Amino acid sequence: MTSEVVWMKRLLVLLMALSLLFSACAFAELENGEDDSNPVPIEADDGDDSDPQPVDMMEDEELEVQEEILQGRVLQFGDEGDDVLALQTRLKDLKYYTGNLSGRYREGTRKAVETFQADFELDQTGIADLRTLSILFSLTHRPLRYGSSGEDVKELQKQLTELGYYKGKISGNYLEATRKAVENLQKKNNLEVNGVADADLQDMIADGRILSKSDKPDDTNTPAPNLSNYLVDDNENGVAVADVAFEKKLKSGSSGKLVKTMQERLTELGYYEGPISGNFQKYTTRAVKAVQTQNGLESTGVVDEETWNVIFNDARIVMPGATPKPTPEPTPVPFHIVVDVANQVTSVYGRDENGEYTVPVRQMLCSTGMKATPSDVGDWVLNGRHSTWCIFPKWGNSYARYWTRINGSIAFHSPIYTAVSNSAMKISSYKKLGQRASHGCIRLAVWDAKWIYDNVGAGTVVSIVEGMDPDPELRDALKLPPLDTKYCTPISTPVPTAEPEYSLDNVPQLGNRQLKENSQGEDVYWLQKTLKDLGYYDTKVTGKMLKKTVKAVKAFQQDHGLRANGGVNQELMDLIAETARNAKNPQETPAPIATPEP
């Protein structure tokens, strides 16, 4: 009996040990594999337009704005949530992270952050601090070096082949031949020779700012200068002027040799007394703002091409303590944008000769907020923030292109994408343009969103308006082309039809034809244009007779004592022409003849 008890105890101990071992293994697997239980969906039904985060660098924003976007949260091991999911997605896009998109910050995420920090010479803490996040979300490319592999390496090899530097196989593997090709390109273009294709170099190649192997430097295609060896001259005021070409915009959060060179120059000019660190922080920002204020520029603290040229290439730069240059008169804002919620049309108006915004420049079908999540009605002034891609992490990381901020909640942007890829558009989002579909933002076709991104700047007023009259003619004229679902581009670009020649005296002859709703042709075009001149018709002249044209005809008939049925025969067409002629050339009323006094 005693021996049975002993064996039972031993069996119980063994079972407990096995149970503990199994739990430990499961925990280890969870740590290494990034727990993917209850995963956040990558794509919501239609994406979400609220709380977007720009994927690439905001062109006109400083680091403080990036911190605001990321809600000031430092991400580290043990954290969970949508911001961790956004971090993992971005790291995965840049090939640093290969684990599950779980929204949980575990060992795989920490190692990916460490690798990223090493690539950008940051402290390798594995903690996604604001500096790390700012750089991560500003990138268009990851750095490529010996040992890298992937589709981006293939793309680089293709570009190097086109430029004549690479003759090997397009393998997607960054090995010795690719490294040598990059080194030769760097030598040819007077860049630092290290065999690494960093984000800046990839941008220069993509933008066509690189000499091919067969090119010779000339005045129209000058390689980027070696900034460590620039020459200076003395102008008549004794100020050293550096002949240094502008390369790219610098702002708070930027770092590297360009920043260091600028700090040295600002020190020479007496604007900067801080360390020559190569890091663009608050003291550098203050110095840049001081230069801008003294020299009549807008005090933004951002070094754009105009500011760079003042710092390096302007012989008449105003020094600290001298009388500042006057700030030039501001240029009037060129556009006013009206978002018509009733018709789902966004219209851009330019200024007329009186300075009023009455000239239609561009009109576009759009999708405003759904009735449950309406767009913010009112007048909003753009602050100039925009991004080529944005991410909506709140709803599973849907994306959009050409994001232009309207206010703190909504923006103009393209249809929804499922990844940062031009071919990843959610086609249903495109097909819904022309009807309410968003969570408040104003969605536009990609080419229309890009037009606003390229042409509309800070200070532009956007009026979001409800309750406008239905305008079927305008909506019909703005119909969008079908898409090639593989490439997410229009199947064919329609050639615009030339407008018919119009003459008031060339009255269309209808014969037995009667114009009514859905009639179309040059006679309808003439009718719409003439009624517009008479003030009865106030929308786009399309040549297609829809409800607004019928309404204009009825108003004309009513004013002339006719039965208001909205139909047009030859007799009515002639009356409209006669009325328009009389309005154009009113007959002078003869002066009254004086009656002789009795």
Side-chain angles (χ1 to χ4, degrees):
M1 193 70 181
T2 305
S3 120
E4 288 180 1
V5 171
V6 170
W7 278 108
M8 287 292 290
K9 286 182 177 179
R10 287 178 179 175
L11 181 60
L12 184 59
V13 169
L14 179 61
L15 288 172
M16 290 175 66
L18 287 171
S19 176
L20 288 170
L21 180 62
F22 178 82
S23 298
C25 290
F27 181 76
E29 182 180 352
L30 181 66
E31 286 289 289
N32 292 327
E34 303 281 334
D35 180 13
D36 61 352
S37 59
N38 300 318
V40 179
I42 297 303
E43 175 193 347
D45 283 346
D46 274 301
D48 180 38
D49 304 299
S50 59
D51 195 23
Q53 294 181 3
V55 171
D56 64 347
M57 182 70 82
M58 296 290 188
E59 291 196 358
D60 299 313
E61 293 300 308
E62 301 186 26
L63 182 60
E64 288 79 6
V65 173
Q66 292 285 345
E67 293 174 4
E68 178 187 341
I69 293 165
L70 297 163
Q71 301 178 337
R73 183 179 176 190
V74 173
L75 302 176
Q76 56 192 324
F77 189 93
D79 286 342
E80 298 182 2
D82 291 338
D83 39 10
V84 176
L85 181 61
L87 170 68
Q88 290 172 329
T89 302
R90 187 65 179 141
L91 288 167
K92 195 159 195 170
D93 289 341
L94 294 171
K95 316 297 183 191
Y96 286 98
Y97 177 67
T98 58
N100 296 321
L101 297 174
S102 63
R104 292 171 168 80
Y105 202 124
R106 300 292 188 262
E107 186 61 22
T109 307
R110 190 188 66 76
K111 285 182 177 177
V113 171
E114 269 190 3
T115 304
F116 176 82
Q117 289 169 329
D119 275 351
F120 287 88
E121 299 179 354
L122 303 171
D123 292 339
Q124 296 170 47
T125 61
I127 296 172
D129 55 19
L130 294 178
R131 178 88 178 109
T132 300
L133 290 169
S134 175
I135 294 173
L136 177 65
F137 279 86
S138 74
L139 289 178
T140 51
H141 309 281
R142 64 167 174 152
L144 301 177
R145 53 170 52 86
Y146 189 92
S148 299
S149 63
E151 291 299 317
D152 46 1
V153 176
K154 272 189 181 180
E155 183 61 29
L156 175 65
Q157 289 171 331
K158 289 176 185 176
Q159 292 169 329
L160 291 170
T161 300
E162 291 171 3
L163 291 167
Y165 292 102
Y166 182 69
K167 296 182 179 178
K169 181 180 178 182
I170 309 298
S171 63
N173 296 314
Y174 199 120
L175 300 175
E176 184 60 28
T178 308
R179 186 186 64 78
K180 192 68 178 173
V182 170
E183 283 185 351
N184 289 335
L185 179 149
Q186 289 168 329
K187 287 177 186 175
K188 176 82 174 190
N189 288 271
N190 201 20
L191 302 171
E192 180 185 358
V193 179
N194 56 16
V196 176
D198 60 16
D200 287 343
L201 180 59
Q202 291 178 65
D203 281 339
M204 290 173 72
I205 293 172
D207 294 343
R209 293 185 283 126
I210 286 291
L211 293 175
S212 72
K213 190 173 182 180
S214 59
D215 283 339
K216 293 183 179 179
D218 57 35
D219 291 339
T220 61
N221 195 0
T222 305
N226 183 342
L227 297 183
S228 62
N229 296 313
Y230 65 78
L231 301 175
V232 299
D233 297 316
D234 288 333
N235 61 56
E236 66 270 21
N237 298 321
V239 178
V241 179
D243 183 16
V244 183
F246 174 76
E247 286 191 36
K248 65 178 182 179
K249 187 178 289 186
L250 301 174
K251 54 189 168 184
S252 181
S254 299
S255 62
K257 289 185 177 180
L258 280 176
V259 176
K260 192 172 183 179
T261 301
M262 184 184 68
Q263 288 171 332
E264 291 170 349
R265 178 65 176 159
L266 291 170
T267 300
E268 290 173 9
L269 296 171
Y271 280 100
Y272 181 67
E273 297 179 353
I276 309 299
S277 63
N279 295 314
F280 199 132
Q281 301 295 341
K282 62 180 180 180
Y283 295 113
T284 309
T285 301
R286 287 177 189 171
V288 170
K289 285 184 175 181
V291 171
Q292 291 169 327
T293 301
Q294 281 292 93
N295 289 272
L297 305 177
E298 184 182 0
S299 179
T300 62
V302 176
V303 182
D304 55 11
E305 186 168 7
E306 186 177 15
T307 302
W308 179 274
N309 285 332
V310 167
I311 293 171
F312 283 95
N313 305 319
D314 189 349
R316 294 178 175 79
I317 182 172
V318 178
M319 304 300 284
T323 303
K325 284 184 182 178
T327 303
E329 287 292 321
T331 304
V333 176
F335 302 121
H336 174 217
I337 300 177
V338 177
V339 179
D340 174 359
V341 175
N343 290 292
Q344 295 292 291
V345 171
T346 295
S347 299
V348 181
Y349 294 96
R351 294 159 62 89
D352 59 23
E353 62 274 9
N354 299 317
E356 302 293 329
Y357 295 101
T358 62
V359 180
V361 175
R362 191 179 182 95
Q363 294 183 295
M364 308 160 271
L365 278 185
C366 64
S367 286
T368 65
M370 296 178 287
K371 290 192 175 179
T373 54
S375 301
D376 297 336
V377 172
D379 294 333
W380 309 99
V381 180
L382 301 187
N383 68 359
R385 275 184 59 190
H386 58 209
S387 176
T388 53
W389 281 94
C390 68
I391 181 173
F392 305 114
K394 184 177 178 181
W395 292 83
N397 288 350
S398 51
Y399 300 85
R401 299 177 68 188
Y402 301 115
W403 180 90
T404 299
R405 180 188 186 275
I406 296 174
N407 63 25
S409 304
I410 63 174
F412 292 109
H413 62 70
S414 73
I416 298 301
Y417 285 72
T418 58
V420 182
S421 168
N422 293 347
S423 59
M425 183 193 292
K426 190 167 185 187
I427 303 300
S428 62
S429 178
Y430 174 82
K431 289 181 176 179
K432 287 182 179 178
L433 290 172
Q435 57 186 291
R436 292 173 178 261
S438 79
H439 289 79
C441 281
I442 313 302
R443 296 182 191 168
L444 300 162
V446 174
W447 47 91
D448 290 330
K450 185 177 188 301
W451 189 92
I452 286 184
Y453 174 92
D454 287 338
N455 294 283
V456 178
T460 302
V461 175
V462 176
S463 300
I464 301 178
V465 183
E466 288 186 337
M468 296 182 76
D469 290 338
D471 196 338
E473 277 86 350
L474 178 59
R475 286 175 53 84
D476 184 72
L478 298 177
K479 281 192 300 190
L480 294 167
L483 284 188
D484 180 322
T485 55
K486 181 177 180 181
Y487 299 105
C488 298
T489 55
I491 291 174
S492 61
T493 304
V495 178
T497 305
E499 289 192 2
E501 289 186 14
Y502 172 81
S503 169
L504 179 57
D505 295 326
N506 189 19
V507 183
Q509 298 303 303
L510 300 180
N512 294 325
R513 170 174 157 86
Q514 178 157 327
L515 303 183
K516 56 186 178 182
E517 188 171 350
N518 294 319
S519 296
Q520 53 186 317
E522 292 189 11
D523 43 11
V524 176
Y525 181 91
W526 185 95
L527 172 68
Q528 290 173 327
K529 191 136 181 30
T530 307
L531 288 173
K532 191 167 189 174
D533 290 343
L534 288 170
Y536 288 97
Y537 183 71
D538 62 357
T539 190
K540 199 172 184 70
V541 176
T542 63
K544 188 171 183 179
M545 189 170 179
L546 298 175
K547 292 188 183 300
K548 204 150 192 182
T549 312
V550 173
K551 183 179 178 181
V553 170
K554 285 181 177 179
F556 180 89
Q557 290 170 324
Q558 203 165 25
D559 283 352
H560 289 78
L562 305 173
R563 188 164 68 90
N565 60 8
V568 180
N569 56 18
Q570 188 64 54
E571 184 179 356
L572 183 60
M573 194 74 96
D574 291 338
L575 178 59
I576 290 171
E578 182 183 351
T579 305
R581 286 192 206 99
N582 291 338
K584 191 174 182 181
N585 302 303
Q587 295 180 352
E588 292 186 8
T589 304
I593 300 172
T595 305
E597 293 184 6

